[in-house]
Amino acid sequence: MSVQPAFGEAQQRLREARSICVLTGAGMSAESGIPTFRDTLTGLWSRFDPAQLASPEGFRADPALVWRWYAERRDGVRRAQPNAGHRALAAFEQRHPGRLSVVSQNVDDLHQRAGNAGTVRLHGDILADQWLDPCPRGLSCDTDWAAPTEPPRCSECGNLVRPAVVWFGEPLPYRAFEAAERAAQSCQVMLVVGTSGAVWPAAGLAALARHRGAFVVIVNPHPSEIDHEAHLLLPGTAAGVLPALLDPL
Ligand code: OAD
């Protein structure tokens, strides 16, 4: 089957859409050198245990181990640069102000650095810190340390600082998810890029958009768990497909 007609139809739908919601996952940043989670050989969860490294229980069990793992990932994010896919989305928003909402499951800041400043972050921000528990003294985190190998601790109450990402078993930030639902409900086209569709509630946004009448396009080199929600599948990578798809629009 040729992909050309699908590509042309996707472009036509995007051209006509007043409002476009882009839902991105780890595949969006793969070509920037940030590993995905579930790709068979390179995905983080094929080499590391998410229960140990991405849950409040894992952090309480061994805070230093989890802190060091995130310190390495933070370094990787700081070194990474937006790829051609991020840049194509940012350039589209600049050419068409107000038509594009980016909703990302990624905890990196590559959409923001590319220029999509209003990107909704469903799973937090790996470069930010927060207290593990609500601090009884009501302090905010001091983020000004020199590469500690252990998480800073409140000298008064012993509370620990942790990365401000959503871990397994934790709710999504309420305002971010609300904004994501609004974007999914009101768009004419939803463009899903680089997600396995395995993690909820983010994965449900494609179904929500479709249910509300949006045309759903998925960009991914491999099958995903939400392919059945798509009107069109564009097989390929973010940096390969997005510039070809969006730059002419
Ligand atoms: P996954 O690792 O589950 O899926 C990555 C997807 O990207 C797969 O479907 C790949 O086929 C696809 N992919 C790989 N390379 C690509 C490329 N160059 N271009 C486009 N697509 C590519 O990542 P997510 O779906 O984002 O949670 O995972 C969802 C959540 O699970 C993450 O946000 C994270 C993780 O646990 C939190 O951090 C809370």
Side-chain angles (χ1 to χ4, degrees):
M1 188 185 80
S2 158
V3 295
Q4 278 319 108
F7 202 83
E9 184 175 2
Q11 280 183 320
Q12 189 56 28
R13 296 279 183 168
L14 288 162
R15 194 174 283 119
E16 289 166 0
R18 287 187 312 281
S19 161
I20 299 163
C21 176
V22 184
L23 173 66
T24 67
M28 182 76 227
S29 298
E31 287 151 291
S32 296
I34 299 178
T36 64
F37 296 93
R38 293 177 185 78
D39 280 294
T40 316
L41 291 176
T42 53
L44 291 173
W45 298 154
S46 67
R47 291 177 288 141
F48 300 103
D49 177 6
Q52 190 180 32
L53 296 166
S55 76
E57 298 75 25
F59 184 70
R60 286 180 203 282
D62 194 341
L65 174 83
V66 177
W67 188 255
R68 284 197 301 271
W69 191 71
Y70 278 92
E72 275 178 35
R73 288 189 57 212
R74 285 173 165 182
D75 284 347
V77 166
R78 289 193 188 98
R79 279 195 306 268
Q81 295 301 324
N83 64 50
H86 295 105
R87 291 197 299 272
L89 289 172
F92 185 92
E93 183 177 316
Q94 204 168 30
R95 288 196 303 279
H96 304 280
R99 279 179 64 199
L100 194 78
S101 307
V102 180
V103 174
S104 188
Q105 298 167 83
N106 296 345
V107 295
D108 64 53
D109 59 351
L110 296 183
H111 283 304
Q112 289 83 351
R113 277 200 262 147
N116 293 116
T119 298
V120 173
R121 310 173 83 140
L122 290 176
H123 292 164
D125 174 357
I126 195 171
L127 299 177
D129 295 314
Q130 66 185 39
W131 291 111
L132 177 61
D133 297 308
C135 180
R137 299 164 60 235
L139 293 181
S140 56
C141 294
D142 173 6
T143 52
D144 195 22
W145 322 280
T149 53
E150 298 222 354
R153 184 180 282 275
C154 172
S155 57
E156 294 291 321
C157 66
N159 199 3
L160 291 167
V161 168
R162 55 165 278 187
V165 298
V166 176
W167 280 333
F168 286 98
E170 295 183 318
L172 268 55
Y174 177 73
R175 278 176 201 282
F177 193 64
E178 216 180 32
E181 279 187 321
R182 266 199 311 275
Q185 280 167 350
S186 60
C187 67
Q188 280 83 49
V189 174
M190 173 171 270
L191 187 58
V192 180
V193 185
T195 180
S196 60
V199 172
W200 288 70
L205 291 168
L208 176 62
R210 183 172 178 141
H211 182 68
R212 292 299 185 101
F215 190 80
V216 178
V217 179
I218 292 186
V219 176
N220 198 313
H222 305 295
S224 82
E225 294 188 20
I226 50 174
D227 283 357
H228 57 279
E229 303 294 355
H231 295 91
L232 284 181
L233 299 175
L234 298 181
T237 70
V241 172
L242 292 182
L245 188 65
L246 298 175
D247 286 357
L249 302 180

